[in-house]
Amino acid sequence: MNDLSITPWKCPFCIGGIEPSTGGQARERCLHCSGVGLTDDPCGDADRAPRPPALMRTPCGDCAFRPGSPELEASGTQLPDAEPFFCHQGLPVNAYGAYTPVATFRGLPLGAMVCAGWWAAQTGEPLPARPYREIPITEDQVEARWGHTPKILTDPTNSHAEDQ
């Protein structure tokens, strides 16, 4: 079962879920959008709904949805289709160079923004045209974020530090 629901359009038949009347007074709940005011089936000309606040404004330089990205080169095998895909910007990098969220809830990274490239692919917006560019993570950057020597080896109160 797919729980993902995106309604990227304002309903073109109502105002905020209420059908307008000729006299300017509201009539009834809109039947096209079920009174929500947003729809995924605009049936013609419609304005875009506001973007969610937890969505990156633009795809980053090494966005997985840019042409030439390792994820797209692997035929999209690593890109989720029916679940949100989160941007790695601001997430810590582990020693293997993988982005690792600090906290998760039900498998979703807390505080991470939704990838702008994923959003574009899901809503029919134009995908990034500029090609993917590798943003290197050097050993110095990993050391600055995580430290070189694990705490277990430097803590004098740790009995395992004496064994090393």
Side-chain angles (χ1 to χ4, degrees), residues 76-150:
T77 55
Q78 298 175 345
L79 297 175
D81 199 23
E83 62 184 56
F85 185 70
F86 294 91
C87 184
H88 61 274
Q89 298 296 315
L91 296 180
V93 178
N94 68 17
Y96 296 107
Y99 295 96
T100 309
V102 174
T104 59
F105 179 69
R106 296 184 183 159
L108 301 175
L110 294 179
M113 302 284 280
V114 173
C115 172
W118 177 84
W119 180 261
Q122 296 296 313
T123 60
E125 291 179 7
L127 288 168
R130 288 179 134 173
Y132 173 89
R133 63 181 166 87
E134 186 69 39
I135 298 178
I137 304 239
T138 65
E139 192 172 321
D140 292 338
Q141 290 170 322
V142 171
E143 187 173 327
R145 293 180 185 194
W146 291 102
H148 184 66
T149 307

Side-chain angles (χ1 to χ4, degrees), residues 18 36 42 44 47 49 53 66 75 88 94 118 139 148 150 154:
I18 306 288
V36 175
D47 293 330
R66 286 192 183 276
S75 302
H88 61 274
N94 68 17
W118 177 84
E139 192 172 321
H148 184 66
T154 60

Side-chain angles (χ1 to χ4, degrees), residues 156 158-164:
N158 186 350
S159 62
H160 293 294
E162 296 165 3
D163 297 339
Q164 301 297 328

Side-chain angles (χ1 to χ4, degrees), residues 55-78:
L55 177 65
M56 292 295 286
R57 289 181 186 214
T58 59
C60 56
D62 58 346
C63 180
F65 290 86
R66 286 192 183 276
S69 74
E71 293 85 356
L72 288 181
E73 295 296 319
S75 302
T77 55
Q78 298 175 345

